Amino acid sequence: MTPSKKFATLLLCTSALGATQGLAQTAGQPTAPSDQAQSEQAPADQVEISAPGADDFANEIVVTGRNTPNIIENTAEVISVLSAADIARTGEGDIAGALQRVTGLSVVGGRFVYVRGLGERYSLALLNGSPLPSPEPLRRVVPLDLFPTNILASSVVQKTYSANYPGEFGGGVINLTTKSSPEEPFIEYGISIGGNTRTTGQLGYTYYGSRSDVTGFDDGTRDVPAPLAAAFATGNPIIAGQNFTRRQIQDITASLVNSRTNLIQRNKNIPPDVGFDISGGKTFELGDDLSLGVIGAFGYKHGWSTKGGLQQLAAGATLDASGKQILEPNASNFRFLSTENRIVVNALLGLTAEFNDHKLRWTNLFIRDSLKEARIQNGTDESNVGTDLISKNYTSWFERQLVNTQLVGEFNFDPLSLDFRASYARSDRESPYERVNSYRFSSAYNDYFNDLRTNGTGSTVAFSDLVDEVKSASLDLAYKLPFDRDVTVSAGYSYLDNTRNSTRRDFAYRPVDALPGEVTQQRPDFLLSDFNVYSFNILLQETSGNFGAAAYDAGLRVHGGYAQVDAELIDDLRLTVGARYETGKEFVQPLDLKGASLGGTRISENYFLPAATITYDVAQNMQIRLAASKTIARPQFRELAPQQYLDSDSDRTFFGNPFLADSRLTNYDIRYEWYFDKDQRLSFAGFAKQIKKPIETIAFQQGGTFFTTFANAPDALLYGAEFELQKYFALSGLSEAGFFASRRAVVIANYTYSKSKINVGGGDTTIPVTSNGTPVPASQIFTDGTPLTGQSKHLVNLQLGLEDTDKLSQQTILITYSSDRVTNRGPGGQPDLIEKPGLQLDFVARQGFTIGNAEMELKFEARNLTNQDYEESQMLNGSKIFNNFYKRGRSFSLGLSAKF
């Protein structure tokens, strides 16, 4: 039996096993729940998972001589399974939020999952066992907040490597399985409303945009206007006098949509968040051994988030009155208020054919995530401007879209099984009309002005477009040998072709002559009006690629093959051993506006990646696992691309480093597990990872601008320990009838301790982007013994709840704590930037009831009851700089669903 497929499409027939073996119900265990409660609260009885590798057990786990009521006990690797019921208990709307409850996982920025303190580049995300493209320009990994939980059947996190998975497996793999054919026909509707104490009903900023923004789709208002599109087609920089006449540039400038994309307005009463979804499915029996299942889902969410806080940059270190070094906070000091309007639309269509012991799945997924932001900053920029006050306003519209179609075949010709997967996925990210306007206070005017030329003033607009495509295919075979003991050999091949094209066109508004004083004091839409463009010769001037490339092409092509043996060597001792050989060719090709090459990066490597796991049953339902493996982590496209990009979340400019190299990891795990009852367990684990050339996020400043980039550290070590407990307590003893008669208490707790350090020796070198390819001593960039970026020493998750075993009724308190973690290496020898995730307290209540023939569910959520703020700062000898600080507020929502 192959290790990865031990948990694929699991159907554990515990009742049948118990009957044949004469097993009685455990004393004190609650009686069997009703059908609705069982589907909600007994996820181990049926968890649908589609993952790489061949399925050779015909959808059943049968363990000779004993009943095994825990799915993960039978897997060869260390995994965590989140079923649909587990996800529902957390109440999270997307899978990123649900995954932060898993042992050793933390979610950064609400999007990216870190496994055991390693950055998101060390996490592999798959959908039904196939890779996905990312719509994020900064990363190749897909942000998991894109995936609404209503379309998912399960999520599996595997932390120990097995050779059937791609070699780019640093911290672990996260495999998402979409819903497929239902056992019973159903249709379900859901609606929700919610709000946040810092946002809903409070002051926020908005701008008009287009009439259809509420749908998540622009109505054409933000399309590139025809004159500008024609200029783009020439491949020439749009600069007056070089390739275009002044009149042509004026026409191009005037063609841009102005007030609808440029005028920020106050909204004194930001509306609540709303959402609705609908899903349905049916299985058609077409013969004795043939069925066709159809499932469809559609969801829509419309939400708001207002953030107000402080953004500072240190000018370096200075001495206080006592001669002690402290941070000087005068480089940049701004207060800001930002309102984001996020619209998510998703749709799923799945067809599943089952015949004999075979299954074919065709899954089609569409997700569109649109973000509309208006932001105002006020403060000083002493590095670039001086002590005059500056007011900046930003408007933006980001469209992220993912389209995926996938065909999966799982065939069982006992004792031979075969799986194949073929997938095409495309993600797009468009950001038209990213606008920034900067005004400077003048004592002469006693007002703010923007003359489009004085330092501290200006107006810019940018258009960016990214297309990322992934084509993948795999074939897996497994054969169960005719021995007395279970011995399965397996082998497979996989292919991945990932391509990306990213283009960014930046422009600044420049007047030919000085503007009249009364014009410079106009608001942005008046200042850049057609009248002023023609009257005062205000022209667009292209600045694309002034720091880096205007565009880049990138690609990654991987061929992988593996062989693996899973064998019961002696009673209670199981060995899974395999190796993967993988060839990978990655390139990033910077381009100028005409598409000509500007150098680039090419990485071509071959890897031999062994993996082994030993599982020993020390007693009934008690086992120890030992695992060792080698894996890799490749630089992401954006980390290699020398293209400038402004991250609106942090207000920082990112820039890639074309001199990065692959990272290589050696992984060790030891784990003790005790499965003392159905869906109940206790485990302790230790782990260690040696990483050669880990890629770290570093910072540097030029001309007062804070840049974030990347570099290879020489070496790093990560080690730690994990604890996990899941326990139910029957409460029927408190009262034979009444509230507690059918209820039980739930305790789900996990804790991860991890520690990392970067090792920097005297002769170690690295190549930062600022060195133009020349190696420099690594000690100039990294400090020996400092932790890896993104790594929290302590991660704590605790769920305390009550639930009814006869019907759907759950009340759960969720506590999450992450200790401080480094986000960036400090620029120019300054202290590192430290994020404080802190403690978050949530409460989720779910209550089921019936109206007629409809199964109803009412859900209440309360999030961040501790009112934890977001804080990222630098500290030195008691002095503190808030690089990014804002209030998050408390969030509340109420949802109602009906299932027929």
Side-chain angles (χ1 to χ4, degrees):
M1 193 177 294
T2 58
S4 66
K5 296 301 290 185
K6 281 279 190 179
F7 51 91
T9 321
L10 295 176
L11 183 60
L12 182 58
C13 301
T14 55
S15 59
L17 286 170
T20 58
Q21 297 169 13
L23 296 174
Q25 184 181 14
T26 303
Q29 186 173 336
T31 58
S34 65
D35 291 343
Q36 181 185 4
Q38 189 174 29
S39 65
E40 287 288 345
Q41 298 173 7
D45 286 347
Q46 184 171 347
V47 182
E48 182 179 10
I49 301 168
S50 180
D55 182 3
D56 66 330
F57 52 86
N59 299 336
E60 283 189 270
I61 294 177
V62 179
V63 182
T64 303
R66 61 177 175 145
N67 178 21
T68 309
N70 290 280
I71 290 174
I72 62 177
E73 182 180 359
N74 288 309
T75 64
E77 307 301 333
V78 175
I79 71 166
S80 297
V81 178
L82 282 180
S83 68
D86 296 326
I87 296 169
R89 186 195 303 278
T90 70
E92 300 287 354
D94 60 68
I95 194 60
L99 283 170
Q100 70 180 332
R101 316 294 177 184
V102 174
T103 309
L105 269 61
S106 57
V107 178
V108 177
R111 298 180 178 184
F112 301 99
V113 175
Y114 284 29
V115 181
R116 290 173 168 173
L118 292 169
E120 82 282 345
R121 72 172 56 81
Y122 298 103
S123 299
L124 174 67
L126 304 175
L127 183 67
N128 297 326
S130 295
L132 288 166
S134 175
E136 286 293 326
L138 287 174
R139 297 167 173 91
R140 194 171 71 245
V141 295
V142 64
L144 294 182
D145 65 328
L146 279 177
F147 295 91
T149 54
N150 68 301
I151 66 172
L152 297 176
S154 69
S155 174
V156 170
V157 180
Q158 182 173 321
K159 299 175 186 176
T160 55
Y161 179 63
S162 54
N164 53 298
Y165 277 109
E168 209 167 347
F169 185 114
V173 62
I174 299 165
N175 185 70
L176 309 178
T177 300
T178 55
K179 294 178 178 178
S180 66
S181 57
E183 291 187 4
E184 300 290 338
F186 77 95
I187 184 168
E188 185 171 1
Y189 306 90
I191 58 173
S192 64
I193 186 169
N196 178 274
T197 56
R198 301 290 302 182
T199 302
T200 311
Q202 305 296 316
L203 171 67
Y205 292 134
T206 62
Y207 72 97
Y208 186 85
S210 79
R211 289 175 295 181
S212 62
D213 284 357
V214 68
T215 67
F217 294 82
D218 179 81
D219 65 1
T221 297
R222 297 183 180 88
D223 289 349
V224 176
L228 183 59
F232 283 170
T234 67
N236 295 314
I238 301 175
I239 300 174
Q242 293 186 11
N243 303 295
F244 301 90
T245 66
R246 180 182 296 181
R247 180 65 185 195
Q248 287 176 312
I249 299 295
Q250 282 180 315
D251 291 343
I252 292 171
T253 306
S255 71
L256 297 183
V257 176
N258 186 16
S259 61
R260 289 191 174 191
T261 64
N262 214 9
L263 178 61
I264 295 178
Q265 297 173 304
R266 288 188 177 188
N267 186 330
K268 296 183 179 180
N269 189 8
I270 295 294
D273 305 339
V274 295
F276 71 87
D277 58 79
I278 180 174
S279 59
K282 185 175 182 180
T283 298
F284 300 89
E285 299 296 336
L286 304 180
D288 292 339
D289 296 313
L290 176 63
S291 64
L292 177 64
V294 181
I295 191 167
F298 176 82
Y300 170 86
K301 290 184 179 180
H302 186 275
W304 300 82
S305 175
T306 297
K307 304 173 184 176
L310 183 64
Q311 290 179 333
Q312 297 177 319
L313 290 179
T318 188
L319 299 179
D320 64 6
S322 64
K324 184 173 57 177
Q325 274 198 332
I326 59 172
L327 291 171
E328 176 66 41
N330 295 327
S332 178
N333 193 339
F334 282 90
R335 293 197 171 273
F336 73 94
L337 187 70
S338 164
T339 300
E340 296 178 346
N341 182 199
R342 186 179 181 192
I343 306 101
V344 180
V345 180
N346 68 84
L348 170 74
L349 175 62
L351 300 175
T352 302
E354 296 189 54
F355 49 99
N356 298 323
D357 292 328
H358 314 310
K359 179 185 286 190
L360 279 173
R361 291 167 52 111
W362 183 33
T363 305
N364 301 277
L365 177 65
F366 171 84
I367 300 174
R368 184 178 178 88
D369 186 346
S370 302
L371 187 69
K372 181 180 182 179
E373 183 192 15
R375 176 161 48 109
I376 292 180
Q377 290 180 322
N378 293 299
T380 57
D381 182 359
E382 294 191 21
S383 295
N384 295 307
V385 179
T387 58
D388 288 347
L389 291 174
I390 296 173
S391 180
K392 296 182 179 181
N393 59 73
Y394 301 76
T395 58
S396 57
W397 171 261
F398 301 103
E399 303 171 357
R400 299 185 298 169
Q401 182 170 292
L402 173 66
V403 177
N404 176 259
T405 184
Q406 181 185 74
L407 184 64
V408 176
E410 299 170 346
F411 302 95
N412 181 24
F413 306 97
D414 191 26
L416 174 70
S417 60
L418 179 150
D419 278 13
F420 77 83
R421 298 170 192 275
S423 175
Y424 170 79
R426 169 174 167 148
S427 66
D428 294 81
R429 181 189 184 275
E430 293 185 37
S431 180
Y433 287 99
E434 289 183 61
R435 286 189 175 273
V436 181
N437 296 287
S438 181
Y439 285 71
R440 180 175 177 175
F441 187 82
S442 168
S443 56
Y445 296 133
N446 195 30
D447 199 358
Y448 286 91
F449 76 98
N450 182 5
D451 63 8
L452 303 176
R453 53 169 52 184
T454 300
N455 201 17
T457 73
S459 293
T460 62
V461 63
F463 298 82
S464 63
D465 187 25
L466 179 146
V467 177
D468 198 324
E469 292 182 299
V470 170
K471 302 171 186 174
S472 64
S474 64
L475 180 67
D476 299 271
L477 292 167
Y479 185 76
K480 187 172 182 179
L481 298 177
F483 298 157
D484 291 338
R485 298 187 181 277
D486 288 338
V487 179
T488 301
V489 295
S490 57
Y493 164 79
S494 64
Y495 170 78
L496 168 76
D497 186 12
N498 183 192
T499 60
R500 172 180 288 192
N501 175 263
S502 177
T503 303
R504 181 177 176 88
R505 304 296 291 263
D506 291 280
F507 301 91
Y509 288 86
R510 295 283 189 263
V512 175
D513 302 305
L515 297 176
E518 61 272 17
V519 173
T520 67
Q521 297 174 65
Q522 293 177 348
R523 69 190 198 191
D525 59 325
F526 288 171
L527 174 64
L528 305 179
S529 65
D530 293 357
F531 177 83
N532 285 347
V533 166
Y534 288 107
S535 299
F536 302 108
N537 293 318
I538 298 176
L539 309 178
L540 277 184
Q541 179 175 320
E542 181 144 23
T543 59
S544 304
N546 279 4
F547 191 76
Y552 70 88
D553 286 334
L556 172 65
R557 182 169 294 178
V558 179
H559 295 272
Y562 76 92
Q564 191 165 257
V565 176
D566 181 23
E568 183 185 14
L569 299 180
I570 58 175
D571 288 345
D572 302 323
L573 183 63
R574 174 182 178 186
L575 172 66
T576 303
V577 61
R580 185 179 189 88
Y581 182 77
E582 201 167 89
T583 65
K585 295 183 178 180
E586 183 176 10
F587 76 91
V588 173
Q589 186 69 64
L591 306 171
D592 65 14
L593 296 177
K594 290 183 178 292
S597 172
L598 299 175
T601 303
R602 295 187 178 274
I603 302 174
S604 180
E605 297 281 358
N606 300 326
Y607 304 97
F608 179 76
L609 305 173
T613 301
I614 297 175
T615 304
Y616 176 60
D617 294 338
V618 295
Q620 180 87 6
N621 297 326
M622 192 179 296
Q623 60 191 24
I624 293 176
R625 301 180 196 264
L626 298 172
S629 63
K630 290 189 175 182
T631 57
I632 60 170
R634 297 182 176 93
Q636 299 176 21
F637 295 147
R638 191 58 192 87
E639 294 170 342
L640 290 167
Q643 187 184 64
Q644 186 171 303
Y645 172 78
L646 178 66
D647 180 11
S648 60
D649 289 339
S650 61
D651 197 29
R652 292 182 191 141
T653 302
F654 281 76
F655 193 80
N657 180 359
F659 308 109
L660 297 178
D662 291 357
S663 305
R664 298 176 183 250
L665 296 89
T666 303
N667 314 287
Y668 303 98
D669 284 82
I670 181 172
R671 184 179 178 95
Y672 164 80
E673 301 167 350
W674 178 25
Y675 299 90
F676 49 84
D677 211 333
K678 177 177 171 57
D679 297 332
Q680 302 182 66
R681 60 187 178 271
L682 173 69
S683 67
F684 297 92
F687 59 88
K689 295 178 182 292
Q690 187 76 34
I691 311 174
K692 293 184 178 180
K693 296 187 176 180
I695 298 172
E696 287 287 279
T697 304
I698 63 174
F700 67 96
Q701 288 180 249
Q702 284 189 352
T705 300
F706 187 99
F707 289 95
T708 296
T709 185
F710 313 92
N712 287 105
D715 186 75
L717 175 65
L718 171 73
Y719 60 92
E722 295 176 341
F723 159 81
E724 182 178 11
L725 170 68
Q726 182 164 323
K727 173 66 178 172
Y728 299 131
F729 298 90
L731 302 178
S732 55
L734 299 178
S735 63
E736 294 183 1
F739 182 81
F740 292 106
S742 59
R743 279 179 164 78
R744 62 183 181 180
V746 180
V747 178
I748 302 174
N750 61 69
Y751 166 71
T752 302
Y753 169 83
S754 61
K755 187 173 183 180
S756 64
K757 62 177 182 178
I758 294 175
N759 301 313
V760 182
D764 291 332
T765 62
T766 188
I767 307 179
V769 67
T770 52
S771 72
N772 295 318
T774 302
V776 302
S779 58
Q780 293 183 9
I781 309 296
F782 305 101
T783 301
D784 184 55
T786 55
L788 293 164
T789 54
Q791 185 256 323
S792 292
K793 183 176 289 187
H794 305 284
L795 296 175
V796 179
N797 290 292
L798 177 63
Q799 298 182 40
L800 303 174
L802 292 175
E803 63 184 27
D804 198 314
T805 58
D806 287 344
K807 61 181 182 294
L808 174 58
S809 180
Q810 294 179 344
Q811 302 81 37
T812 309
I813 295 172
L814 303 102
I815 300 171
T816 303
Y817 172 76
S818 299
S819 61
D820 298 354
R821 56 193 176 211
V822 177
T823 58
N824 277 270
R825 300 295 168 203
Q830 295 179 19
D832 292 340
L833 280 67
I834 306 293
E835 179 187 2
K836 295 180 177 294
L839 178 71
Q840 179 166 320
L841 173 66
D842 301 336
F843 175 74
V844 178
R846 305 170 63 218
Q847 183 64 48
F849 57 97
T850 58
I851 298 180
N853 64 345
E855 296 179 3
M856 310 292 293
E857 179 186 335
L858 184 67
K859 181 170 69 173
F860 171 74
E861 301 175 50
R863 304 287 181 182
N864 194 31
L865 294 176
T866 53
N867 204 23
Q868 179 70 46
D869 300 327
Y870 179 85
E871 180 182 320
E872 182 190 43
S873 62
Q874 293 171 277
M875 291 181 287
L876 180 63
N877 294 326
S879 62
K880 191 171 187 177
I881 297 294
F882 288 99
N883 307 100
N884 204 1
F885 174 87
Y886 57 83
K887 301 283 187 180
R888 293 175 53 210
R890 300 178 177 92
S891 297
F892 303 89
S893 69
L894 188 66
L896 179 66
S897 64
K899 185 175 182 180
F900 300 89

